[in-house]
Amino acid sequence: MPTSPMTAKDIREDIARARAYAKKNDYLRTLKYLASAIRGMVTSQVFGAEKFEIQAHLDEALRDLNKMKMIRKLFPDGLTYRKGKEKAFFQTLMRLHKKLGEAMEKARVAKLRKRLGVLDDNLIKAAKLIHAGQPLEARKLYSKIAEYFQDIEGIHSDIGNRMAMFGLFAEAVPYLNKALEAQNSDARAHNALILCYEGMHEPDKAMAALKDAMRWLGPSENLYLRLARLHLQKREWGEVFNNAKAAHDRNPLNTEAAKLMKQAEPKIFTAAKGGAKKSHDLNF
């Protein structure tokens, strides 16, 4: 048992915490603070009326502990504390804390695995509905999945990616935006959102999504190339060249980037010869 001294105030606060957690049915914290209070009774320099008062509070905390359902099940006659046996009782509380912690963790993992199994079953069911030509029913199911499993990390990103893969671009966007609100460095959500706007033929939104991805993920060959393709749709030749070159600089073997540069270059100089008729910000 640790020998660092505790003050009477420390002991009273630990007893108060133990009682508060007992009311919340928090077994581990109740045991933890009650054990700390017992340790304090041994290591502290508390005497007289103050020690008597602490003992009275400790008795009340023990009654609270023995009223807890799991404690009643494990110890039908209740846990008892006897003066002079503080060390043994402290060890009993700590062993119980350890065993309960292990049992609760095991139960938590088993429950989580079961829940994730239900999640997988429903995601498979939604995919089957889409393949069966029932996208509306699939969308309803995805909505229910997102609501019921909202505590599962990455659930909106997962659903958004699945919907994007199935071509449900507009429907996927809200899920992907929620995913990025929760985790702005979610690469899967960024890429799927760009894909959705590309699939919806909304180049301006796709460009905004690409630039947002670059902001959070950093620029890359793939992102620059996709940006070049989008500017090509709008015939913005200076931007086509700049972004294709940026992709090519990162990978000189990228033939598509080289092709886009070659396609854009004469357009830039042709436009430049037009003088004041047309102005282009090449943004090199």
Side-chain angles (χ1 to χ4, degrees):
M1 183 185 292
T3 57
S4 55
M6 293 174 66
T7 66
K9 180 174 179 290
D10 293 332
I11 298 170
R12 284 195 298 269
E13 288 178 350
D14 278 347
I15 293 172
R17 291 188 186 102
R19 297 197 70 187
Y21 282 119
K23 290 177 182 177
K24 295 178 181 179
N25 219 34
D26 188 327
Y27 290 91
L28 298 183
R29 287 191 176 94
T30 300
L31 289 166
K32 172 186 173 182
Y33 286 110
L34 194 54
S36 179
I38 295 293
R39 177 179 70 84
M41 294 291 286
V42 177
T43 62
S44 67
Q45 300 296 315
V46 181
F47 303 99
E50 195 168 42
K51 187 170 185 178
F52 181 81
E53 179 189 354
I54 288 174
Q55 182 65 54
H57 288 310
L58 189 58
D59 290 341
E60 291 175 354
L62 276 170
R63 281 195 289 272
D64 291 342
L65 175 67
N66 285 325
K67 288 177 184 177
M68 298 177 82
K69 184 177 179 181
M70 194 177 296
I71 301 300
R72 290 202 312 269
K73 184 178 179 180
L74 294 172
F75 303 92
D77 296 330
L79 285 163
T80 55
Y81 159 67
R82 293 183 179 87
K83 293 180 182 178
K85 300 289 184 180
E86 290 87 357
K87 184 175 181 180
F89 190 61
F90 170 82
Q91 291 171 343
T92 296
L93 291 177
M94 293 309 294
R95 280 197 301 269
L96 184 56
H97 181 279
K98 181 182 178 182
K99 294 294 183 184
L100 282 180
E102 291 171 352
M104 291 168 74
E105 177 62 15
K106 186 176 179 180
R108 185 194 70 79
V109 171
K111 183 179 179 181
L112 179 59
R113 283 177 179 166
K114 184 178 179 180
R115 194 156 180 256
L116 290 176
V118 174
L119 171 59
D120 286 342
D121 289 344
N122 279 280
L123 289 172
I124 291 170
K125 183 179 178 182
K128 287 180 177 178
L129 286 170
I130 291 174
H131 291 310
Q134 300 180 58
L136 181 59
E137 293 304 313
R139 285 164 52 191
K140 290 179 181 177
L141 183 54
Y142 278 131
S143 179
K144 290 179 180 177
I145 292 170
E147 182 178 358
Y148 184 74
F149 293 98
Q150 59 184 290
D151 58 307
I152 301 294
E153 185 177 356
I155 188 63
H156 289 101
S157 180
D158 193 1
I159 291 174
N161 270 273
R162 289 169 187 270
M163 296 180 94
M165 285 192 304
F166 291 131
L168 301 175
F169 300 126
E171 296 82 355
V173 167
Y175 291 99
L176 296 168
N177 281 330
K178 280 187 178 181
L180 291 171
E181 285 173 11
Q183 178 55 267
N184 48 36
S185 60
D186 185 339
R188 290 178 69 236
H190 278 294
N191 285 315
L193 186 61
I194 297 164
L195 174 65
C196 287
Y197 286 133
E198 288 173 340
M200 293 162 67
H201 305 292
E202 296 194 33
D204 290 333
K205 289 183 178 180
M207 286 180 191
L210 269 162
K211 290 173 183 176
D212 198 45
M214 287 184 177
R215 175 187 173 194
W216 294 108
L217 305 177
S220 68
E221 174 192 351
N222 176 57
L223 294 177
Y224 275 126
L225 189 60
R226 292 174 81 170
L227 199 52
R229 290 180 195 139
L230 289 166
H231 283 293
L232 179 64
Q233 292 178 27
K234 301 183 73 174
R235 305 181 72 78
E236 295 171 344
W237 300 109
E239 292 302 325
V240 173
F241 184 90
N242 287 342
N243 286 285
K245 185 177 185 302
H248 193 263
D249 287 345
R250 282 163 173 73
N251 178 13
L253 299 179
N254 190 319
T255 55
E256 184 180 359
K259 182 179 178 181
L260 286 170
M261 289 168 62
K262 187 176 180 180
Q263 183 179 355
E265 193 169 17
K267 302 289 186 181
I268 296 170
F269 292 109
T270 299
K273 290 179 181 178
K277 292 181 181 179
K278 291 184 179 180
S279 63
H280 294 271
D281 178 12
L282 303 185
N283 195 26
F284 281 93

